[in-house]
Amino acid sequence: MSTSKLCPSIALLRSLGRVSHPPSQCVQQVSLRFERAFHKSRSLRREEKSFKGQLYESTAQRLERERAEQRRFAKERGESSGGRTAATTFVFVGTALGCYYLGSLNTSTSSITSTTPLASTEAPKHNVSPSNLQAAWTDFVGIVGEDHVSTDEDALQYHSGSEWSSYTTKDNERPFLIVFPSTTEEVSKIVKVCHERRIPITGYSGGTSLEGHFSATRGGICVDFGRMDKILKLHKDDLDVVVQPAVGWEGLNEELAKDGLFFPPDPGPGAMIGGMVSTGCSGTNAYRYGTMREWVLSLTVVMADGTIIKTRQRPRKSSAGYDLTRTFVGSEGTLGLITEATLKVTVKPQSESVAVASFPTVRDAAECVAKVVGEGIPIAAIEVLDDVQMRCINEAGSTSRTWKEAPTLFFKFTGTPSAVKEQIGMVQKVARSKGSRSFEFAKDSNERAELWSARKEALWSVMARMRDDSDHVWTTDVAVPISRLPDIIDETKEDIRSSGLLGAIVGHVGDGNFHAVLLFNDKERNVAEDVVHRMVKRAVEMEGTVTGEHGIGLIKRDYLNHELGESTVDAMRKLKQAFDPLCILNCDKIVRVQRPKPGEVQPW
């Protein structure tokens, strides 16, 4: 056998010499072939070392060195790969821990829960530093002009609270400045500045609210809508009107009367549409016409980041999407600032009259109300004023006549002349059955105005009894199912008498809603608080509500849990966070946004 058939060619050897690091498997195969050929060659011609033999031996040695090199390379590669893996693992773990730490510092991470319990909240982070507020002043001047930004001390005090509010404003609860916009676009720009700078905002229109609604608990600024007082458009054929927030309901009705129309909600004198929408108010006409919620078709609202939205169009009915209109009604400026409202109006009644009936006790009067409602007599309004209230009106001298100082019901009748006459006769019969001592009805418009005047003077006549500057007035309301009205009025009346405070009962009793008006000084405040607390608790236990029309504000927020349940209030808090994540809009009203201090909440 020729050795040339057993050995690789010169070309193959040369090609192998050019491969510095062949794959290990190939090296092993070629090496085995070379070794077999080499040993076989030696066995055939052991005695003689030819040139080819020397070549085979040299090639085998070279391949052996290459195999050793491959083993060393593989070992080093394994070790270095392990090192790199360890280093990579270290970097990855370190990065993950760093990200977790940074993430734990971010308290604004989104939650997947449907409600926000009070225990999970963190205090809002506002920036009310002088430098930030002064810089904002420059921004506001650029938006509305210097004449419409005020830092006047008297104005700031006036925009912090009122003497008829049940909430006593603290010294630090006042705005840094007041800004007066004239358009929705200006309001949007103002809110954008506050959102960027994290400055709290309190809205203000008429300032007649009673539960601390516009107290600036976090400082910041006040947006006064006084310049936005226009009736923008009356759609007479559609029976609706578009107005700005500082339009008063009384002035609106004067204009509507020219076209034979009127707007039924009638709260206290001086109330304006913006505040009426925000508190979900009603008034003396609520028994017949309903509350503010029933008379709002659409709203233009500036959201917490300055976004402008319109809640719906003008049709009388719609099932399109979420009812954002009613979401904002009663929200007290905590979800957005209302800059326009489209309101329903109705045709003014052909005829109207008023009757007044007095009773031996306030329970007798309340029982008369329950029977009138139970018999379905279609009257427009039923109001109650107790004997203390009637005495205050007489002493104040604010009306043109002297009244019987006894519990009194005021009835309002509307409709055609014949219908009004029929209603008066039916009510008179019921009143007599409940022990009415007198029943007087108006024969013309002058008598009607005179008889109804006492109802509108209720609050102011009690305030006229203030003894000095240390006296305060507390006006609060609750509502219960109509069948429980006699019980709660009678029990509350006795509670006020036992307390030693001057207090009157007055209210829109046709829908189970009544008010207590208390006069007290600084030393008597705890007594007044206890009377109100028991009144509210009484209403909740009778399956009623903590407020029929005044709203929650600051005074009633801790009672919501007892009326609605904690989970419902937690859902409201979640809604607040969704609409106003930075909590810059009328912070602290309706729901708490941070846990109270020890002793801040009165035990139930």
Side-chain angles (χ1 to χ4, degrees):
M1 182 181 293
S2 170
T3 58
S4 61
K5 294 182 180 180
L6 298 174
C7 300
S9 66
I10 298 296
L12 175 61
L13 290 174
R14 287 175 179 171
S15 66
L16 287 173
R18 290 194 297 268
V19 179
S20 59
H21 296 289
S24 59
Q25 187 176 359
C26 295
V27 170
Q28 290 175 359
Q29 292 176 354
V30 174
S31 175
L32 288 173
R33 289 174 61 191
F34 285 180
E35 285 182 357
R36 290 192 193 104
F38 176 72
H39 290 300
K40 192 167 185 178
S41 173
R42 288 183 64 185
S43 65
L44 292 173
R45 299 183 64 181
R46 188 178 299 273
E47 69 283 355
E48 180 181 1
K49 281 189 177 181
S50 66
F51 172 77
K52 291 182 178 180
Q54 294 178 11
L55 180 62
Y56 287 137
E57 184 177 1
S58 174
T59 301
Q61 291 174 355
R62 178 182 174 187
L63 291 173
E64 183 65 26
R65 288 195 302 269
E66 287 181 354
R67 286 201 305 271
E69 183 70 16
Q70 288 290 334
R71 288 193 295 270
R72 184 185 64 80
F73 175 75
K75 183 179 179 181
E76 290 179 355
R77 183 178 180 184
E79 290 176 352
S80 62
S81 176
R84 283 194 300 271
T85 301
T88 302
T89 302
F90 176 78
V91 171
F92 176 78
V93 172
T95 302
L97 290 174
C99 292
Y100 174 80
Y101 173 73
L102 294 175
S104 68
L105 297 178
N106 183 9
T107 58
S108 62
T109 52
S110 59
S111 170
I112 61 172
T113 61
S114 299
T115 62
T116 303
L118 184 58
S120 68
T121 60
E122 297 291 338
K125 295 177 175 59
H126 299 140
N127 186 350
V128 291
S129 64
S131 59
N132 193 44
L133 291 168
Q134 288 165 5
W137 178 90
T138 303
D139 295 334
F140 300 143
V141 167
I143 297 169
V144 299
E146 189 170 350
D147 291 342
H148 304 303
V149 180
S150 175
T151 57
D152 178 75
E153 285 296 320
D154 291 339
L156 295 177
Q157 186 65 32
Y158 182 77
H159 286 75
S160 300
S162 66
E163 59 181 338
W164 53 84
S165 174
S166 54
Y167 180 74
T168 302
T169 304
K170 300 178 178 64
D171 292 338
N172 64 333
E173 294 178 340
R174 55 186 296 172
F176 175 78
L177 58 81
I178 308 159
V179 60
F180 300 84
S182 61
T183 66
T184 296
E185 289 69 26
E186 287 182 355
V187 175
S188 174
K189 292 176 182 178
I190 291 166
V191 173
K192 285 179 180 178
V193 170
C194 292
H195 186 265
E196 181 180 351
R197 294 183 177 276
R198 290 182 176 246
I199 297 174
I201 304 169
T202 305
Y204 183 96
S205 56
T208 61
S209 57
L210 300 166
E211 305 286 357
H213 294 89
F214 58 91
S215 293
T217 55
R218 306 280 174 153
I221 72 161
C222 175
V223 177
D224 187 320
F225 293 99
R227 296 174 65 210
M228 300 179 68
D229 59 352
K230 298 176 181 62
I231 299 174
L232 299 177
K233 182 72 173 179
L234 171 63
H235 303 102
K236 183 178 178 181
D237 294 338
D238 298 325
L239 294 179
D240 68 64
V241 62
V242 183
V243 301
Q244 290 184 313
V247 171
W249 68 271
E250 295 157 302
L252 175 61
N253 274 328
E254 289 178 5
E255 290 299 315
L256 293 174
K258 298 174 183 177
D259 292 293
L261 305 174
F262 91 113
F263 177 66
D266 60 337
M272 297 180 181
I273 298 300
M276 292 168 65
V277 173
S278 294
T279 57
C281 78
S282 54
T284 62
N285 288 329
Y287 174 65
R288 172 71 175 273
Y289 294 100
T291 69
M292 193 71 185
R293 294 180 189 276
E294 285 73 56
W295 293 89
V296 181
L297 283 174
S298 175
L299 296 170
T300 299
V301 183
V302 174
M303 305 295 283
D305 64 352
T307 302
I308 301 170
I309 69 168
K310 187 171 182 178
T311 57
R312 55 171 285 184
Q313 302 261 48
R314 291 194 299 114
R316 286 299 176 109
K317 62 184 294 186
S318 171
S319 60
Y322 297 120
D323 191 349
L324 291 180
T325 304
R326 291 202 176 194
T327 298
F328 286 104
V329 176
S331 65
E332 301 182 11
T334 63
L335 303 181
L337 297 181
I338 297 166
T339 60
E340 285 182 18
T342 302
L343 309 173
K344 292 190 289 186
V345 298
T346 190
V347 177
K348 199 170 183 180
Q350 294 180 21
S351 182
E352 185 175 309
S353 187
V354 170
V356 177
S358 62
F359 294 83
T361 68
V362 73
R363 174 175 277 276
D364 293 330
E367 289 178 351
C368 177
V369 171
K371 188 167 184 181
V372 168
V373 173
E375 293 190 3
I377 303 174
I379 59 178
I382 315 176
E383 300 290 304
V384 66
L385 280 70
D386 73 352
D387 54 320
V388 175
Q389 183 63 74
M390 299 306 292
R391 184 167 65 251
C392 289
I393 291 172
N394 283 338
E395 292 177 358
S398 54
T399 63
S400 59
R401 60 176 291 174
T402 300
W403 304 86
K404 288 183 174 64
E405 295 179 1
T408 304
L409 289 180
F410 291 73
F411 300 92
K412 184 186 291 185
F413 309 93
T414 59
T416 64
S418 60
V420 168
K421 185 177 180 179
E422 182 183 11
Q423 293 167 22
I424 291 174
M426 295 170 68
V427 169
Q428 186 174 19
K429 183 179 178 180
V430 172
R432 284 175 180 168
S433 71
K434 291 299 177 180
S436 171
R437 291 177 173 176
S438 65
F439 190 91
E440 180 181 2
F441 62 91
K443 299 177 179 63
D444 55 41
S445 59
N446 290 332
E447 286 190 8
R448 183 183 74 228
E450 180 185 53
L451 290 178
W452 200 252
S453 64
R455 173 60 188 90
K456 289 299 183 182
E457 293 296 326
L459 173 60
W460 316 114
S461 64
V462 174
M463 291 182 64
R465 293 286 301 273
M466 288 183 173
R467 295 155 291 192
D468 52 48
D469 292 341
S470 67
D471 274 353
H472 310 281
V473 65
W474 191 320
T475 304
T476 191
D477 82 312
V478 296
V480 296
I482 194 69
S483 63
R484 300 306 308 272
L485 184 67
D487 297 328
I488 192 168
I489 285 183
D490 196 36
E491 292 174 24
T492 303
K493 173 77 172 172
E494 178 58 28
D495 197 5
I496 294 173
R497 187 194 64 77
S498 300
S499 72
L501 299 176
L502 174 67
I505 297 291
V506 59
H508 321 305
V509 286
D511 47 16
N513 178 214
F514 79 98
H515 311 252
V517 186
L518 306 177
L519 191 66
F520 64 97
N521 59 31
D522 293 334
K523 294 179 180 179
E524 298 167 328
R525 182 170 186 87
N526 290 338
V527 178
E529 287 178 349
D530 290 342
V531 170
V532 172
H533 177 76
R534 289 189 292 270
M535 173 180 165
V536 171
K537 185 178 180 183
R538 210 174 283 127
V540 172
E541 290 172 348
M542 293 182 181
E543 298 183 85
T545 178
V546 302
T547 176
E549 62 179 14
H550 288 179
I552 295 297
L554 293 167
I555 296 295
K556 298 287 184 68
R557 59 184 174 174
D558 293 319
Y559 292 124
L560 277 181
N561 286 348
H562 302 288
E563 178 184 339
L564 305 175
E566 286 191 16
S567 59
T568 302
V569 177
D570 293 345
M572 292 182 179
R573 190 175 293 109
K574 186 76 169 184
L575 182 66
K576 165 67 173 175
Q577 290 179 335
F579 278 55
D580 180 19
L582 300 181
C583 197
I584 62 174
L585 296 178
N586 211 13
C587 194
D588 302 309
K589 313 310 187 320
I590 300 184
V591 295
R592 288 187 179 272
V593 292
Q594 68 183 87
R595 283 162 283 189
K597 299 175 183 177
E600 199 170 65
V601 179
Q602 189 173 8
W604 182 245

